[in-house]
Amino acid sequence: MTTASPRPVAAPVHGGASADRMLETVRDLASDRYQGRRVGTPGGRMAAQWLASQLAELGATVQLDSFEVTGVKELTSTPVAIIGQRRLTHRRDFAEQLSSAQVDVPRPAQLVPADADTWRDGWVIVAAADQQALARASAEDVAGLLVPRGVDEAGWMPKMIAGPPTGQVAIVSVRADLHADLAHHLSETLTASVPMRTITTTGTNVYGVFAEPSPGHPSVLLTAHFDGVGDDPNQRFPAAADNASGVAVALEAARLLSATLPNNVGLAVALLDGEEAGARGSAHHAPQLAPGTFVINVDGAARLGDAAAVEAGGPAELLLAALDQAGRHTGVPLRAGAMASDNRRYAAAGLPAIGIGMGMPGYQTPAETPDRVEATTLLAAADLVVATVHALCPRQVQGSD
């Protein structure tokens, strides 16, 4: 899609979707018992089981599929950073840098500027942990490097669990304004830890098949990832927008479509694990699909704003045409936008795939709570998905038995 659909001239058309059902799904997935739903955790596995039961209640034939996930970053305790007598707040003032060495025991050392004659045994204030800084830090046996990092509009450093391999040097990200102020504290000691390890774990995809396609007829797969970045040792990450909201939309759209699609059209749902760890669930699933399966992925449906972001991949011309028609019918404005989510794995496998995003307030922070997920956005997303599938299938089955 290269241009946005026209803005609606009338109120959006709702096609029977239930905001209450979707909001309840969001609240359930964001609850304490699932512990932020990180791949490989007890909470993540419990969420997969619960979602399997939800699909079964809707009439799907359900399968769980496990796969290995490598390179997941995990905190074993809450990191510490203390400057003199001031204790900094994790994810507000500082956070672990994903390529940092593991430092379990807080290490005290003097703050050292980047232009110092020697860095030895210091926490060194640098602009970036580039190759030159890392090489010097290793050679001089520093305590670690301190690099600047921005925060979101609410003052949080969003959490990530996948990134570069663990290095040999401790690296702590410090809020940019605080990092700039460190030059005034060179006489003080920083005591810091990075209790972060890299693990290999197991993810669990949840598949639900509502109808198999008849020979020569289309098949549609609705997808959304259910995993989050997971709770910190002492901090909740509800993951309501990213992506409990997308899961709620996929389930509700499947409920409506399973009752209204022609019998010869295939319909399935894939609720995917491991998206936050490199889209591993969709990478595992995509090669299993029949060629030509149409994939609609919803990643974030919490706050629509001006328009839904849409990214297409693979041979998606028919799918995009159907989506454009659906946007005009439902009154949901669309714009081309990057959607770096599971849709890209399906497109890379040669499948027609689109990713749809409608906002993630509080993205990957403790502020990503269910109360920030808008009922109107959930309805808009469900209506758009349902209308897209209805616009797509008649186009494909026209003239066939």
Side-chain angles (χ1 to χ4, degrees), residues 271-318:
L271 303 178
L272 302 161
D273 204 355
E275 194 268 356
E276 303 294 358
R280 302 298 182 82
S282 50
H284 174 74
H285 184 225
Q288 303 175 34
L289 292 178
T293 301
F294 293 100
V295 181
I296 302 175
N297 181 63
V298 182
D299 194 10
R303 185 173 62 197
L304 176 57
D306 293 334
V310 176
E311 178 179 303
E317 292 80 6
L318 290 175

Side-chain angles (χ1 to χ4, degrees), residues 93-109:
D93 300 322
F94 78 102
E96 64 281 359
Q97 212 266 14
L98 292 181
S99 63
S100 174
Q102 182 174 343
V103 181
D104 292 325
V105 178
R107 182 172 178 178

